[in-house]
């Protein structure tokens, strides 16, 4: 049996087998085992069979063989004969697809010539008069073939002239399939760009525009991925391809613009913009007035912001194209005429300005002005004089406000074209030069001479001055300096509440000015703001004024030069404040930072300085800042020296470093700088052995260390956090360091200092103790657990528990393999009558976020540490809860609540996705958590249940009644364990319960919630009388949702 016969038998049942057979024939041809003529002859009578299907299969076999041959295999003569063979088969409608596939295979050969391409194109045009009657797949093959030869043999096809234009438009007529249209639009675009279509403009336009607008919607899960936007883009390219069709395109597009469909309007406007960008200036000039008259309606009477934006783009695109090739815009040029027609109408609108029309008019003028330098000049020439006159004659601020906004838009256009200062000299003369003084004067008058209550108007004036300063070579240095002075006066002299928005804009403006004139910020603004800051603090110091000055300094110090000066000045001021001896204390009622109300006299000032430094440093990319070592020299080392002096002995004069909040601020500033230092520089910067050796890692017992020295650990914990784990700690030995830190934590009674020591303990374990040394941690932990069972001192026992949980936190973060051993020991503590409740409270430590325990501080934080801990603890807590008796035999409270508290401590820091996986196990515990009197537990439980109701309501469907009853009790502020109790729950908890209740009607079926509707509506009445307004508002919304339950059903 011949290969041809095998192919004909296999092609329908196994495409891969048929392809293998054709490939085998191709290899025989290449090896000269058979000849090409022999392959054709092997088809024999199949090519002339009465059965059209057999004829098509025979042609498909020959096409498949040719497709498997190397591109250089056929000679020119063989290609000519083969092309003729397939062209003859095109007329056989049943084999059109196969013949086209054969020609597609032939056209890829190296010796396929332009003459062959013309022959193929002619055959397609004459042999497929009714192409649309063929299946989509056949049409796609034909169109793809034509597209391929058009790409490779374009010059030869161009020689066909108008015949090709007529042929291709007839061939693709009435095509509707999206895949085919993508090919059709590509070919028509090429023809319209490269062929002379002057004699066929209407034919070409009709062939393209009949598809406008595209209304195609791809079917769901479309495997071809063709979108409506793809088709619209290709069609738009066709319409905009040739100016020859402008006379047909613009009238047709403007007719479509009258459509009521926003999508059609958008397509029209985008197409006009595309045409304006590609048609010749002459073609645009011919229709510019007609286009403006139609487009302006979409801007001046805009109902849709997106459509207005597209229309503005079209207006600007026309002006830009009319500017093409012009060196000047004489009054007779199409550009000048177009701009004049637009600006005339705009100035008419502005003679009696109103808020509704001012914005679109300003947008039109801005779009025109941004189009080109010549267009900008024409707009300024036509508009600026009348605009300034109208502003001067306007009798009310409202009108001046509207006109000034238009002026700001003109300045925005200037910035767009001329660029900002600092980007080199202006390329051309600025048309605004003649109006500079008047613009500057009226903007200054509007900003500083207007009533303080006119905040919106003054903000526009401020923006006007900023843009005047930004435009290159417009204002001189003295004028920009005056603007900076005005901004400083606003920030320092005006009321904070009345001018808050204006002050924000003023800060932003100073930041912008600092980008091109940092010298003015340093020479004008810095002295003004620093003058508000005292050298040191006394009882007469205005804390709010001090904080405001520092806040402004921090926000404007964005540029490198300004920031470095700020850092140097604030560092010096901070050291002065810290060194000043303190003989009295004051109350800090208005201090926003965490600090005791009675603190050393300079503490509030020092905290404010430190907060400013931290803000400025935190907004810089210190990791890539080469000047970080210099920051360390200016700030870190002097602070460390002062810290050493003040903590060296208890007889040193009192200073601000006695305040724990100040020390915390010092630690944060030191931390952010040290962690950005390269490794070797870290050790040099802080002299670690000197800093830590005094307390945390020294051999002294806690009892031998003075009070001042213990405070040093607040800073040393931040230093420890900043250090890279590859650096070995001084005098470090794992077990002794761990035991000493543990002893310090157990002995410390001051909360802040104890927390810093616990953080150090966690950092040392996580960063410097390898997994192989985890046994040491477990050994120390076991020892502490043994001591705990015999510990009579409640305070020391609580400290022991904190140590154990912070140890566990260090291991949890890095998902240590042995962490579960310690976690299981902590879980067993929940059964203890003495230590169960304190232990349950401390479970919240394990996953709680901490400023120091982050990857930025080189702490090992594994991605799945929360999932792993929750997966380990949740089933054990649930099992222990079910196994514990409701009450103990002696009548005391059961330890059950301990499990609920521990669970809530984990829930508050775990994502809802993790909780949902264990919902069946945890739901009974969550419901009973709502019965506790513990507010944090109920808050965490409510947060979890709210997510469950939203994302997985089916899981709680069987508990709806009991859950609603508990939530209603929470809305009334009742403790479910005490009958008749009222006012236990805080307002925020009552509000959360109401918010959760309002989710039920949408989450559950009517037959589930309808039975409890009456009860809910009745009990919500008490929430409607809640003393807190926020609770009452949420109750009204909740009751409204429940009142509609019957209607919804």
């Amino acid at each position: 049996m011949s290969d041809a016969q095998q192919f004909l038998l296999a092609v329908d049942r196994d495409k891969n087998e048929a392809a293998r057979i054709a490939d085998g024939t191709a290899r025989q041809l290449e090896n000269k085992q058979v000849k090409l003529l022999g392959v054709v002859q092997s088809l024999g009578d199949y090519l002339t069979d009465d059965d059209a299907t057999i004829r098509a299969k025979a042609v498909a076999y020959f096409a498949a063989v040719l497709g498997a041959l190397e591109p250089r295999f056929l000679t020119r003569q063989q290609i000519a004969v083969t092309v003729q063979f397939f062209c003859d088969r095109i007329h056989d409608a049943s084999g059109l697809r196969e013949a086209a596939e054969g020609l597609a295979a032939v056209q890829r050969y190296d010796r396929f010539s332009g003459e062959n391409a013309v022959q193929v194109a002619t055959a397609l045009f004459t042999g497929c008069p009714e192409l649309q009657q063929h299946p989509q797949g056949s049409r796609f093959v034909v169109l793809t073939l034509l597209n391929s030869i058009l790409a490779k043999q374009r010059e030869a096809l161009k020689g066909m002239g108008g015949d090709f234009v007529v042929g291709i438009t007839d061939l693709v007529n009435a095509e509707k399939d999206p895949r085919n249209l993508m090919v059709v639009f590509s070919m028509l675009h090429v023809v319209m760009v490269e062929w002379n279509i002057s004699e066929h403009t209407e034919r070409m336009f009709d062939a393209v525009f009949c598809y406008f607008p595209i209304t195609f919607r791809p079917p769901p899960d479309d495997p071809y991925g063709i979108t409506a936007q793809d088709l619209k883009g290709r069609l738009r390219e066709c319409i905009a391809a040739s100016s020859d069709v402008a006379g047909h395109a613009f009238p047709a597009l403007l007719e479509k613009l009258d459509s009521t469909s926003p999508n059609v309007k958008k397509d029209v406007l985008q197409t006009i913009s595309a045409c304006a960008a590609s048609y010749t200036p002459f073609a645009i000039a011919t229709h510019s007035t007609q286009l403006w008259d139609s487009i302006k309606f979409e801007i001046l009477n805009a109902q849709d912001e997106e459509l207005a934006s597209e229309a503005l783009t079209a207006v600007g695109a026309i002006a830009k194209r009319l500017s093409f090739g012009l060196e000047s815009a004489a009054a007779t040029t199409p550009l000048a005429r177009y701009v004049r027609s637009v600006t005339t109408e705009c100035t008419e609108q502005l003679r009696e300005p109103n808020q509704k029309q001012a914005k679109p008019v300003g947008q039109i003028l801005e779009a025109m002005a941004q189009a080109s330098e010549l267009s900008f000049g024409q707009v300024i020439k036509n508009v600026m004089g009348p605009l300034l006159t109208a502003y001067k004659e306007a009798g009310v601020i409202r009108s001046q406000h509207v006109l000034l906004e238009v002026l700001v838009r003109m300045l925005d256009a200037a910035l767009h074209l001329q660029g900002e200062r600092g980007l080199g000299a202006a390329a051309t003369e600025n048309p605004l030069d003649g109006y500079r003084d008047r613009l500057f004067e009226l903007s200054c008058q509007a900003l500083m001479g207007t009533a303080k209550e006119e905040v919106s108007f003054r903000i526009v004036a401020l923006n006007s001055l900023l843009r005047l300063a930004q435009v290159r070579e417009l204002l001189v240095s003295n004028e920009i300096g005056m603007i900076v002075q005005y901004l400083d006066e606003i920030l320092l002299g005006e009321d904070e509440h009345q001018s808050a928005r204006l002050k924000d804009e003023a800060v932003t403006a100073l930041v912008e000015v600092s980008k091109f004139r940092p010298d003015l910020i340093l020479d004008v603004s810095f002295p003004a703001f620093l003058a508000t800051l005292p050298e040191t603090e006394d009882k007469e110091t205005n804390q709010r004024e001090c904080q405001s000055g520092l806040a402004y300094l921090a926000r404007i110090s964005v540029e490198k030069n300004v920031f470095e000066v700020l850092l140097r000045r604030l560092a010096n001021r901070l050291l002065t404040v810290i060194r000043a001896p303190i003989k009295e204390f004051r109350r800090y009622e208005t201090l926003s930072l965490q600090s005791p109300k009675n603190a050393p006299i300079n503490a509030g000032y020092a905290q404010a300085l430190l907060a400013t430094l931290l803000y400025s440093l935190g907004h810089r990319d210190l990791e890539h800042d080469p000047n970080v070592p210099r920051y360390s020299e200016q700030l870190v080392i002097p602070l460390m020296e002062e810290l050493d002096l003040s903590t060296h002995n208890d007889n040193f004069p009192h200073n601000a470093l006695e305040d724990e909040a100040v020390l915390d601020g010092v630690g944060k500033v030191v931390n952010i700088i040290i962690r950005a230092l390269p490794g070797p520089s870290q050790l040099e910067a802080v002299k670690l052995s000197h800093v830590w050796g005094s307390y945390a890692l020294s051999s002294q017992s806690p009892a031998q260390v003075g009070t001042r020295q213990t405070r040093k650990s607040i800073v040393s914990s931040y230093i420890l956090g900043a250090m890279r784990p590859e650096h070995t700690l001084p005098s470090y030995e794992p077990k002794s360091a761990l035991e000493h830190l543990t002893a310090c934590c157990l002995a410390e009674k001051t909360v802040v200092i104890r927390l810093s020591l616990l953080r150090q303990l966690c950092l040392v374990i996580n960063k410097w103790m390898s997994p192989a040394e985890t046994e040491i941690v477990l050994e120390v932990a076991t020892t502490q657990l043994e001591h705990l069972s015999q510990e009579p001192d409640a305070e020391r026992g609580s400290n022991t528990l904190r140590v154990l949980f912070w140890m566990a936190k260090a291991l949890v973060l890095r998902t240590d393999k042995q962490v579960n051993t310690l976690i299981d020991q902590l879980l067993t503590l929940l059964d203890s009558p003495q230590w169960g409740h304190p232990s349950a409270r401390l479970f919240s430590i394990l996953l709680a976020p901490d400023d120091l325990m982050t990857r930025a501080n080189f702490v090992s934080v594994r991605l799945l540490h929360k999932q792993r801990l929750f997966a380990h603890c949740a089933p054990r807590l649930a099992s222990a809860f079910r196994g514990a008796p409701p009450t103990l035999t002696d009548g005391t409270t059961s330890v059950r609540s301990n499990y609920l508290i521990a669970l809530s401590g984990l829930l508050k820091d775990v994502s809802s996705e993790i909780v949902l996986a264990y919902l069946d196990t945890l739901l009974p515990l969550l419901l009973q958590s709502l019965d506790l009197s513990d507010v944090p537990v109920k808050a965490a439980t409510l947060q979890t249940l709210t997510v469950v109701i939203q994302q997985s309501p089916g899981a709680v469907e069987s508990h709806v009644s009991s859950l609603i009853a508990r939530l209603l009790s929470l809305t009334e502020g009742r403790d479910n364990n005490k009958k008749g109790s009222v006012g236990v729950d805080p307002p925020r908890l009552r509000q959360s319960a109401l918010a959760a209740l309002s989710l039920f009607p949408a989450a559950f079926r009517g037959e589930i919630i309808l039975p409890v509707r009456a009860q809910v509506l009745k009990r919500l009445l008490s929430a409607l009388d809640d003393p807190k307004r926020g609770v009452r508002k949420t109750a009204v919304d909740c009751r409204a949702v429940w009142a509609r339950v019957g209607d919804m059903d």
Side-chain angles (χ1 to χ4, degrees):
M1 187 181 295
S2 68
D3 288 350
Q5 292 174 316
Q6 293 181 46
F7 181 92
L8 266 62
L9 291 172
V11 69
D12 286 334
R13 57 181 174 80
D14 191 343
K15 299 289 185 183
N16 293 331
E17 176 62 18
R20 188 192 64 76
I21 294 169
D23 187 68
T25 305
R27 300 290 80 77
Q28 292 178 33
L29 280 168
E30 290 174 349
N31 296 331
K32 299 184 179 179
Q33 296 173 333
V34 295
K35 293 183 178 181
L36 188 64
L37 181 60
V39 174
V40 177
Q41 290 175 341
S42 69
L43 295 172
D45 296 335
Y46 298 130
L47 291 172
T48 57
D49 198 283
D50 292 337
D51 190 338
T53 304
I54 294 177
R55 296 199 305 271
K57 289 179 181 179
V59 175
Y61 168 68
F62 191 34
V65 171
L66 293 174
L69 291 170
E70 292 295 326
R72 297 182 61 85
F73 182 77
L74 296 184
T75 65
R76 291 186 186 277
Q77 184 179 3
Q78 289 174 322
I79 289 175
V81 173
T82 307
V83 167
Q84 185 61 55
F85 172 83
F86 285 117
C87 286
D88 292 342
R89 298 301 179 278
I90 286 177
H91 297 277
D92 187 351
S94 61
L96 174 62
R97 176 171 183 159
E98 290 74 12
E101 288 174 344
L103 288 169
V106 175
Q107 62 86 29
R108 69 184 182 86
Y109 283 91
D110 296 345
R111 297 182 180 88
F112 185 83
S113 66
E115 184 181 344
N116 300 138
V118 171
Q119 183 181 0
V120 172
T122 303
L124 290 175
F125 296 155
T126 59
C128 306
E130 301 293 339
L131 182 61
Q132 300 311 311
Q133 295 181 0
H134 292 270
Q136 183 276 331
S138 299
R139 303 199 308 273
F140 183 75
V141 173
V142 170
L143 294 170
T144 304
L145 166 63
L146 187 58
N147 190 44
S148 297
I149 63 173
L150 182 61
K152 296 178 181 179
Q153 302 292 340
R154 189 167 302 172
E155 291 302 319
L157 294 178
K158 286 169 72 174
M160 295 176 67
D163 291 341
F164 188 85
V165 176
V166 173
I168 193 171
T169 52
D170 287 341
L171 183 71
V172 303
N173 183 42
E175 179 60 64
K176 295 180 180 179
D177 184 81
R179 288 165 289 175
N180 295 352
L181 284 175
M182 292 292 286
V183 182
V184 168
F185 291 155
S186 294
M187 292 190 293
L188 293 180
H189 178 259
V190 171
V191 173
M192 294 181 77
V193 170
E194 301 196 23
W195 264 252
N196 180 3
I197 62 169
S198 58
E199 296 181 3
H200 307 281
T201 54
E202 188 171 357
R203 170 183 283 271
M204 285 300 302
F205 177 74
D206 290 342
V208 170
F209 202 77
C210 64
Y211 296 104
F212 190 91
I214 296 288
T215 56
F216 167 69
R217 287 187 180 181
D221 303 321
D222 179 21
Y224 304 104
I226 297 174
T227 65
Q229 198 57 45
D230 295 332
L231 290 168
K232 289 178 181 181
R234 292 277 179 93
L235 177 58
R236 190 176 302 130
E237 289 174 356
C238 290
I239 297 172
S242 174
S243 299
D244 290 337
V245 299
H248 301 286
F250 284 135
L253 287 168
L254 294 180
E255 184 180 346
K256 297 283 188 182
L257 193 58
D258 294 333
S259 169
T260 56
S261 168
N263 288 331
V264 173
K265 286 178 176 286
K266 182 180 176 181
D267 288 345
V268 169
L269 292 168
Q270 288 178 342
T271 305
I272 290 174
S273 297
C275 293
S278 62
Y279 286 177
T280 63
F282 176 79
I284 299 299
T286 305
H287 300 88
S288 60
T289 303
Q290 181 186 8
L291 289 168
W292 162 245
D293 289 339
S294 298
I295 294 173
K296 67 183 180 183
F297 178 84
E298 304 299 332
I299 305 171
L300 296 174
N301 301 281
Q303 302 295 321
D304 186 320
E305 287 294 328
E306 188 177 8
L307 285 180
S309 177
E310 295 292 350
L312 288 167
T313 301
V315 168
I318 294 169
K320 185 173 184 179
R321 193 59 177 169
L322 291 176
S323 305
F324 182 76
L326 295 180
E327 295 183 0
S328 63
T332 56
T333 60
L335 173 65
R337 292 198 300 269
Y338 173 65
V339 173
R340 191 159 51 246
S341 64
V342 175
T343 54
T344 298
E345 185 153 351
C346 289
T347 50
E348 285 292 329
Q349 295 279 358
L350 292 174
R351 283 180 182 173
E352 295 182 4
N354 62 75
Q355 194 66 35
K356 183 179 179 182
Q357 291 297 89
K359 181 180 177 181
V361 167
Q363 289 174 329
I364 292 170
L365 293 174
E366 183 181 7
M368 293 281 291
Q370 285 183 354
S372 68
E373 294 282 357
L374 292 176
S375 179
F376 177 70
Q378 288 293 306
V379 171
I380 296 300
K381 175 183 174 182
N382 296 343
V383 170
M384 191 57 71
L387 195 57
L388 291 173
T389 301
Y391 182 89
K392 184 177 180 180
E393 295 175 353
V396 294
I397 287 181
R398 180 182 177 185
S399 297
Q400 290 180 332
H401 187 168
V402 167
L403 294 167
L404 191 55
E405 283 184 330
V406 178
L407 287 171
V408 170
R409 289 189 178 276
M410 296 297 95
L411 295 173
D412 284 334
L415 278 174
H416 176 79
L417 290 170
Q418 304 274 337
E420 295 185 21
R421 288 176 180 267
L423 300 177
T428 59
E429 182 180 351
N430 194 337
L432 289 170
D433 286 340
Y435 305 97
R436 182 190 70 188
D437 294 340
R438 294 169 67 185
L439 287 170
F440 183 71
E441 182 182 352
L442 73 86
S443 298
C444 290
Q445 177 64 28
L447 178 63
M448 304 306 293
T450 307
K452 300 292 189 289
E453 294 80 14
E454 299 291 343
V455 175
S456 297
F457 179 47
R458 297 180 69 203
I459 287 175
V460 178
L462 187 152
N463 288 328
S464 175
L465 285 173
L466 173 61
R467 283 155 179 75
L468 285 169
Q470 286 176 311
V471 175
R472 281 191 283 178
E473 299 182 3
L474 187 59
L475 296 186
V476 296
S477 181
N478 290 342
E479 291 169 328
I480 300 175
M482 191 179 297
I483 293 173
V484 172
Q485 287 181 359
Y486 289 156
L487 296 176
D488 294 344
E489 289 177 25
I490 290 170
L491 291 173
L492 296 176
E494 299 199 8
D495 182 76
E496 183 71 36
H497 300 291
Q498 188 180 34
S499 305
R501 286 172 51 217
L502 181 64
K503 288 192 172 193
D504 282 340
E505 293 291 337
V507 171
T508 303
L510 285 175
V511 171
E512 292 299 318
V513 172
S514 72
K515 293 177 180 178
F516 56 86
R517 289 302 302 271
D519 56 313
L520 288 176
I521 301 299
L522 295 175
D523 295 341
V524 179
S525 296
F526 260 54
F529 293 136
L530 288 172
T532 65
L533 306 179
E535 285 295 320
T536 59
E537 190 176 9
D538 56 39
K539 288 190 175 181
E540 304 303 320
T541 300
N542 187 322
Q543 299 170 39
R544 189 177 298 280
E545 182 180 295
C546 211
Q547 290 178 358
S548 296
L550 286 170
Y552 297 141
L553 282 170
R555 291 174 64 185
I556 67 174
S557 301
V558 175
E559 293 301 303
K560 177 186 173 184
N561 294 342
V562 180
F563 166 75
E564 290 181 350
V565 172
L566 173 75
L567 185 67
R568 185 169 62 250
R569 300 232 180 138
L570 291 190
N572 292 335
R573 188 65 55 93
L574 176 62
L575 292 171
T576 301
V577 172
I578 286 175
R579 288 167 183 159
I582 292 176
K583 297 181 180 178
E584 56 183 338
F585 290 73
R586 72 177 290 181
R587 293 178 64 83
Y588 289 95
E589 302 291 351
T590 62
L591 192 64
S592 61
L593 300 165
Q594 292 293 326
S595 176
K597 288 186 176 179
N598 287 307
I601 193 69
N602 277 331
Y605 191 20
Q607 286 180 64
L609 288 167
L610 287 164
T612 305
L613 286 167
L614 187 63
Y615 176 90
S616 300
L617 290 164
H619 282 74
R620 299 196 68 79
D621 184 10
L622 294 180
E623 289 187 12
H624 301 97
D625 191 335
N627 297 316
V628 172
R630 189 163 79 240
Y631 305 156
S632 176
E633 292 175 5
Q634 293 174 348
L635 199 54
V636 174
I637 293 176
L639 283 174
M640 291 299 95
E641 290 173 350
E642 291 300 321
L643 184 62
D644 289 337
L645 286 172
S646 66
T647 58
H648 185 67
N649 61 72
D650 289 342
N651 296 321
F652 194 82
H654 295 287
N655 61 28
L657 289 176
E658 291 189 20
D659 184 66
E660 292 158 0
V662 172
L663 290 172
D664 189 69
V666 169
K668 290 176 179 177
V669 169
V670 169
N671 172 274
I672 199 172
I673 294 177
I674 292 178
R675 73 187 186 198
L677 286 169
S681 301
Q682 287 187 333
L683 296 171
E684 297 171 10
V686 295
K687 303 177 182 177
L688 287 180
S689 59
H690 186 55
V691 173
W692 289 339
S694 61
Y695 183 50
L697 297 179
S698 73
S699 58
Q700 290 179 288
S701 68
Q704 295 175 307
V705 182
T707 303
R708 289 189 174 187
Q709 202 166 336
T710 60
R711 291 198 188 102
K712 197 174 187 177
S713 65
I714 297 174
V715 178
S716 61
S717 63
Y718 283 101
I719 296 174
L720 196 64
M723 294 301 297
R724 300 173 191 273
E726 55 264 28
H727 297 306
T728 306
L729 300 179
S731 308
Y732 171 72
E733 193 281 317
K735 187 171 183 180
S736 60
L738 196 59
E739 290 176 342
H740 182 72
L741 278 170
T742 300
C744 293
C745 294
L746 294 176
E748 187 55 56
K749 296 183 179 180
T750 306
V751 174
V752 177
I753 298 174
R754 182 174 62 227
L755 176 60
S756 69
L757 292 169
L758 289 167
R759 284 170 143 188
Q760 289 189 37
L761 178 69
C762 186
L763 288 166
V764 168
I765 294 172
N766 183 280
K767 292 168 67 171
W768 282 280
M769 297 189 74
S770 67
E773 295 171 327
T774 303
E775 288 292 344
I776 299 173
V777 180
L778 296 178
E779 182 182 337
V780 174
T782 301
T783 302
Q784 294 304 316
L785 282 166
E786 292 172 355
H787 293 163
L788 184 66
S789 61
Q790 303 171 359
E791 181 60 64
D793 187 344
E795 183 178 355
R796 188 174 178 85
S798 297
N799 283 354
T800 301
L801 289 174
R802 294 187 183 95
V803 167
L804 292 169
F805 276 91
W806 277 91
M807 286 181 173
K809 183 182 183 73
L811 300 178
V812 166
L813 288 173
R814 72 184 193 192
T815 60
D816 193 285
K817 291 181 180 179
Q818 300 188 65
V819 66
N820 289 344
T821 303
L822 179 54
I823 295 298
D824 288 339
Q825 291 175 317
L826 298 179
L827 288 170
T828 59
L829 291 174
L830 298 174
D831 291 332
S832 169
Q834 182 181 5
W835 304 114
H837 188 72
S839 299
R841 291 272 182 207
L842 294 174
F843 266 84
S844 61
I845 290 174
L846 296 177
L847 296 179
D850 187 281
D851 292 343
L852 276 180
M853 307 305 152
T854 62
R855 292 188 179 92
N857 282 315
F858 314 107
V859 174
S860 175
V861 182
R862 301 294 292 273
L863 190 62
L864 299 178
H865 72 278
K866 291 186 178 182
Q867 288 92 322
R868 292 191 178 184
L869 178 66
F870 195 79
H872 182 78
C873 292
R876 288 165 175 77
L877 288 170
S879 176
F881 175 84
R882 288 192 296 268
T887 56
L888 300 180
T889 53
D890 58 1
T892 59
T893 305
S894 170
V895 295
R896 271 188 160 195
S897 62
N898 296 341
Y899 301 113
L900 301 178
I901 294 170
L903 178 63
S904 71
L906 300 176
L907 284 174
K908 68 183 181 64
D909 296 305
V910 174
S911 66
S912 58
E913 291 79 6
I914 300 173
V915 177
L916 290 175
Y918 299 91
L919 193 57
D920 292 340
T921 303
L922 298 179
L923 192 56
L925 280 76
L926 295 175
L927 292 174
Q928 294 200 39
S929 294
L930 296 178
D931 297 334
L932 297 178
S933 58
D934 195 303
V935 171
V937 172
K938 288 191 281 191
T941 304
L942 266 179
Q943 179 182 344
T944 302
L945 286 172
T946 299
V947 174
V948 171
I949 294 168
Q950 290 174 315
Q951 298 186 9
S952 184
V956 296
E957 195 171 273
S958 58
H959 302 275
V960 165
S961 297
S962 60
L963 180 54
I964 287 176
R966 287 176 164 90
L967 290 175
L968 287 169
S969 296
L970 290 178
T971 65
E972 297 164 347
R974 293 181 182 177
D975 185 342
N976 290 332
N977 294 321
K978 297 178 183 178
K979 239 182 179 180
S981 65
V982 179
V984 173
D985 296 322
R988 184 174 296 179
L989 195 65
R990 300 199 295 274
Q991 201 166 349
S992 298
L994 287 165
L997 265 175
S998 64
L999 299 174
F1000 279 74
F1004 298 97
R1005 302 190 309 275
E1007 60 265 27
I1008 295 176
I1009 60 172
L1010 197 57
V1012 296
R1013 174 180 179 272
Q1015 177 193 4
V1016 171
L1017 293 176
K1018 180 179 179 181
R1019 292 186 63 179
L1020 281 176
L1021 292 174
S1022 63
L1024 295 175
D1025 294 328
D1026 195 280
K1028 295 296 181 180
R1029 181 182 178 184
V1031 177
R1032 293 197 302 272
K1033 183 180 182 304
T1034 309
V1036 169
D1037 295 340
C1038 180
R1039 198 170 191 277
V1041 171
W1042 277 91
R1044 293 195 299 268
V1045 165
D1047 299 335
M1048 294 164 60
D1049 187 55

